[in-house]
Amino acid sequence: MESGPQAFAGVAFALFGAGLLLWTGVRGRTGEPVAEGVSRPLGITVALLSGVLFLTTGCWLLLSL
């Protein structure tokens, strides 16, 4: 019973992290800004680090069921 919320959170974190990495890659490759009002390299760096963090957290939650 206790693993249901953990599985849901793991899937949500993993999907969000993967989506953020994909979105950042597409935006960076096409030259479009990643964040408004921020330099392009800083926006890409922060978005990539956040995506990796969310994906890692989601995988950790799913693997520790």
Side-chain angles (χ1 to χ4, degrees), residues 1-10:
M1 285 303 265
E2 300 271 334
S3 64
Q6 183 177 350
F8 176 78

Side-chain angles (χ1 to χ4, degrees), residues 38-52:
V38 179
S39 69
R40 190 166 176 247
L42 179 63
I44 289 174
T45 303
V46 170
L48 286 176
L49 288 175
S50 298
V52 168

Side-chain angles (χ1 to χ4, degrees), residues 1-59:
M1 285 303 265
E2 300 271 334
S3 64
Q6 183 177 350
F8 176 78
V11 169
F13 273 87
L15 285 176
F16 181 74
L20 184 59
L21 288 173
L22 179 67
W23 179 81
T24 304
V26 169
R27 298 287 285 195
R29 189 168 267 248
T30 59
E32 297 180 42
V34 175
E36 190 173 327
V38 179
S39 69
R40 190 166 176 247
L42 179 63
I44 289 174
T45 303
V46 170
L48 286 176
L49 288 175
S50 298
V52 168
L53 180 68
F54 276 105
L55 186 59
T56 303
T57 303
C59 290

